[in-house]
Amino acid sequence: MNTINQETEILVKSIYYPEGVAVEKTKIIEFVKPILGFDSLKKYCILNINKEKNLPFFILQSIENDKLCFIVADPNYFFKDYAASITDEEKELLGFKEKTDVILFVIVTVFRDLYSSTVNLKAPVVINVKSRKAIQTVLNNGLYSVKQKLPIIKQDADNPKTA
Amino acid sequence: MLILARKTGESIKIGDNITLEIISATGNTVKIGIEAPKEVGIFRKEVYDMIKNENITASAVNLSDLSKLNDLDADDLKNIKK
C-alpha cells in the first residue's frame, strides 16, 4: 500500500495506478488556460508510465477526476525541429521568466494499433516548471497538424530490432 | 441568439471585460477587434472545434493503450529517431 506524507504529498489515483501514487504537492500543475473541452478541470500532475524505461511518453493525470488522463509525449524526441512560440499574454499567465523553465508536451491520441497513433502538434501543452502553471496553446502558424502520425515503426521481420 | 446591428467603429460589450469592435466590413468579410482578459481563450470556431474534438478523442485513454506504451522500449524508439 501507499503511505504518503500528508503534509507534503497527495495520493493521486489513475486508471493506470488504481491504488494511487504519492505526488508531491509542489509537483501539481495548474492550467491557467484550460485543455479545450475540459475547462472545469485545472489541476494535473505528470506520472511516469514506466520509471525504469526512458520513454518519451508520460501520463498527464487529472487530480480532480481520476478517470481523466491524457498521454503526452516529448515532441522533440520525435520531431527535432518542433518549436512553439507563445504570446506575451501567455508568458504572463505562465509567469514565464526563462526559456529553460518551460517544458513542452504534445497530446497523443493512442490508436488500437499503436503504430497508427497521432500527436497534436498544433495545440501543445506548455508547463512552467518553476511556477507550476500550464496552458494548452494553439499555434496558428499553419505548420502543424492536430493529427500528426507518430514516426514509430513496428519491429518485425522487415524492420528487425537492432541494438 | 441575440442579434445586434453595428456600424464600422462601433463596439459590443460582453460583461465587464470583453469588448468586440467592428473594424471593417467588406463584402462577406467582417474584421472584428477583440479585447478580453488574457486568460480568456479566443479562437476561430473551426480551430476551437478541431482542438477540442482531438482532446476529447485523446482523453479516451484505456489501460491497454498504456500497457502497449509500457511494452515499448527505448531501443524500439531509437530506431525511429531521425
Side-chain angles (χ1 to χ4, degrees):
Chain A
M1 286 314 291
N2 292 288
T3 50
I4 62 160
N5 179 334
Q6 300 278 358
E7 261 169 46
T8 59
E9 295 176 326
I10 58 160
L11 190 68
V12 176
K13 289 191 177 172
S14 156
I15 55 164
Y16 197 53
Y17 297 106
E19 293 190 359
V21 235
V23 173
E24 281 175 52
K25 285 180 182 169
T26 57
K27 296 275 165 71
I28 296 171
I29 54 180
E30 182 201 357
F31 274 78
V32 285
K33 246 189 181 179
I35 298 178
L36 296 187
F38 299 87
D39 292 31
S40 61
L41 299 170
K42 300 199 185 315
K43 295 202 161 135
Y44 291 81
C45 64
I46 302 284
L47 303 176
N48 284 302
I49 293 177
N50 187 318
K51 260 192 176 165
E52 273 77 56
K53 292 180 187 175
N54 204 5
L55 295 174
F57 299 104
F58 303 89
I59 301 169
L60 179 64
Q61 174 65 47
S62 167
I63 289 174
E64 293 148 316
N65 177 352
D66 57 5
K67 301 277 185 294
L68 176 68
C69 70
F70 297 89
I71 308 294
V72 294
D74 167 7
N76 293 115
Y77 192 98
F78 300 102
F79 307 99
K80 235 177 114 213
D81 300 327
Y82 179 78
S85 60
I86 57 172
T87 65
D88 290 344
E89 284 82 8
E90 289 173 328
K91 283 181 185 168
E92 217 175 295
L93 281 172
L94 287 168
F96 179 100
K97 295 214 174 67
E98 285 171 68
K99 225 177 163 178
T100 48
D101 295 342
V102 168
I103 50 171
L104 204 55
F105 285 116
V106 286
I107 298 176
V108 185
T109 302
V110 181
F111 281 57
R112 192 169 294 164
D113 167 23
L114 186 65
Y115 300 91
S116 302
S117 297
T118 61
V119 283
N120 182 349
L121 295 184
K122 192 173 174 67
V125 168
V126 187
I127 301 171
N128 181 340
V129 293
K130 287 262 172 70
S131 67
R132 312 305 301 175
K133 304 246 188 269
I135 57 170
Q136 181 177 35
T137 187
V138 176
L139 306 177
N140 284 315
N141 54 21
L143 291 174
Y144 301 124
S145 161
V146 294
K147 287 179 194 291
Q148 177 66 49
K149 201 180 163 305
L150 260 186
I152 51 176
I153 302 159
K154 201 173 215 150
Q155 302 296 338
D156 55 27
D158 296 328
N159 296 296
K161 197 186 264 191
T162 49
Chain B
M1 186 188 279
L2 172 69
I3 297 171
L4 301 172
R6 298 272 62 195
K7 294 195 170 70
T8 304
E10 293 180 339
S11 300
I12 292 169
K13 292 289 294 184
I14 302 174
D16 289 337
N17 301 320
I18 299 176
T19 308
L20 307 183
E21 186 184 334
I22 308 305
I23 306 295
S24 68
T26 348
N28 61 0
T29 303
V30 181
K31 276 194 183 150
I32 300 171
I34 304 155
E35 261 177 57
K38 51 186 176 298
E39 58 277 7
V40 174
I42 301 168
F43 307 96
R44 292 178 174 86
K45 184 168 184 297
E46 58 277 21
V47 173
Y48 173 87
D49 286 344
M50 182 169 70
I51 307 286
K52 179 177 165 176
N53 291 337
E54 194 58 31
N55 285 343
I56 290 170
T57 311
S59 73
V61 175
N62 59 49
L63 261 183
S64 87
D65 297 338
L66 284 156
S67 53
K68 272 184 264 179
L69 287 169
N70 187 22
D71 288 341
L72 288 172
D73 56 46
D75 282 344
D76 287 329
L77 297 168
K78 233 177 256 165
N79 292 329
I80 57 90
K81 263 180 98 173
K82 285 172 202 161

